[in-house]
Amino acid sequence: METLKIFTSFPTFHFNLNTPKFSRIICEKKPNFSFPVNHQPLKSRFNLFSTNISNPTNESKQLLTANKQEIISTKNENQEEEKFDWYAQWYPIMPISELDKRRPHGKKVMGIDLIVWWDKNLGEWRVMDDTCPHRLAPLSEGRIDQWGRLQCVYHGWCFGGSGDCKLIPQAPIDKPPVHTSKKACVAVYPSFVQNDILWFWPNTDPYYRDIHLKKRPPYIPLLDDSTYAKSTTVRDMSYGYEILIENLMGPSHVNYLWHNENSSIVKKIRN
């Protein structure tokens, strides 16, 4: 404040320069600034803006409400687009080199009990619910009969690759064919072989029967390249993928867990 007083106490200075444009620059003791008509101080414009917001009209309220609803709607649409449907994807079951065409195989993928078997009549692998519609026995415990039908181990019901029941041994021959009932059918999942791997789509809705024509499983060209060598290993784990990945991402346990290969933990892992 003292400095300000010193500067403001100086008399008026006059500078005479040779350039006509700056022939005289005067610094008054108390400068008096004036704004053009079309230029108002920032403070004034701010006050005007604040007044309009503090007293909104009905039209402005409706506009703000509409903008808010539009933002919420856009946010909801983006969330729906980003939502991942786990049951609308292809999942690998097994390399076909590990599958035996002479017998059915029971597998669990995405928490779904599946039966995988070779239908020699259709000439392709089939993926179905591992449940007989009769007494809910696991069809994977059955066998493939001489006619290429999947036969249940419990009462001998036989099924084709389309899930239709072909034979009920206990049904009278001279009575209506009860095996043609829809209640006697097994749900079939879309399946597809790519890269020598059997894939399945976890939805039995007939709408997805030909889903492979619209969307195919992920394709890896190198697996079909004869100039590359490949090997496959299949192992059933009694836990989910997230635990397996967490274990593989933490190599700090290697030096300790695998130090003694005769330990009970290592034996359980190997078995």
Side-chain angles (χ1 to χ4, degrees), residues 10-249:
F10 288 159
T12 304
F13 290 94
H14 297 272
F15 297 93
N16 293 324
L17 302 178
N18 296 329
T19 306
K21 186 176 181 180
F22 300 100
S23 60
R24 186 178 183 183
I25 299 178
I26 302 175
C27 179
E28 299 290 344
K29 187 175 182 180
K30 293 182 179 180
N32 183 20
F33 295 100
S34 60
F35 294 95
V37 177
N38 59 349
H39 180 77
Q40 296 296 330
L42 181 61
K43 183 176 180 181
S44 300
R45 280 199 273 178
F46 180 78
N47 291 338
L48 180 61
F49 178 77
S50 300
T51 303
N52 289 339
I53 294 300
S54 60
N55 297 288
T57 62
N58 292 333
E59 183 178 356
S60 62
K61 287 182 179 179
Q62 294 176 357
L63 181 60
L64 291 174
T65 303
N67 292 338
K68 184 177 180 181
Q69 292 177 350
E70 183 178 356
I71 293 173
I72 295 175
S73 177
T74 304
K75 183 178 180 180
N76 293 335
E77 290 178 359
N78 293 336
Q79 290 178 349
E80 291 180 358
E81 291 178 358
E82 295 176 357
K83 186 177 180 181
F84 184 82
D85 189 354
W86 290 90
Y87 292 93
Q89 312 294 330
W90 286 102
Y91 291 92
I93 299 178
M94 184 79 72
I96 58 176
S97 60
E98 303 292 329
L99 296 173
D100 188 351
K101 293 182 179 181
R102 298 171 296 178
R103 65 180 183 88
H105 304 265
K107 301 296 176 184
K108 182 185 284 288
V109 182
M110 292 292 293
I112 305 174
D113 291 317
L114 305 172
I115 177 175
V116 179
W117 64 289
W118 176 257
D119 185 353
K120 69 177 185 180
N121 297 313
L122 296 177
E124 58 186 28
W125 291 100
R126 307 301 290 172
V127 181
M128 300 161 56
D129 264 336
D130 192 14
T131 305
C132 181
H134 181 208
R135 293 296 181 88
L136 308 182
L139 292 172
S140 57
E141 297 294 332
R143 67 186 184 92
I144 300 176
D145 66 10
Q146 57 183 331
W147 294 281
R149 302 173 301 188
L150 177 64
Q151 188 178 77
C152 179
V153 67
Y154 200 180
H155 293 92
W157 285 31
C158 295
F159 304 92
S162 299
D164 55 323
C165 184
K166 298 293 187 180
L167 174 66
I168 298 179
Q170 298 79 16
I173 300 177
D174 56 345
K175 298 294 182 180
V178 293
H179 67 278
T180 58
S181 172
K182 292 183 178 180
K183 295 182 179 180
C185 296
V186 180
V188 180
Y189 295 94
S191 57
F192 191 75
V193 176
Q194 184 164 271
N195 290 135
D196 292 331
I197 299 173
L198 178 63
W199 301 72
F200 95 110
W201 186 276
N203 196 320
T204 59
D205 192 309
Y207 174 79
Y208 298 102
R209 181 177 301 169
D210 297 321
I211 188 63
H212 66 280
L213 300 177
K214 300 178 181 179
K215 181 180 180 180
R216 291 199 174 187
Y219 178 67
I220 305 176
L222 293 179
L223 293 180
D224 289 341
D225 192 340
S226 58
T227 61
Y228 284 81
K230 66 179 180 180
S231 61
T232 58
T233 301
V234 178
R235 184 176 177 184
D236 289 330
M237 301 292 187
S238 58
Y239 46 82
Y241 73 92
E242 65 279 3
I243 297 179
L244 176 62
I245 294 177
E246 182 181 6
N247 176 70
L248 297 177
M249 294 293 288

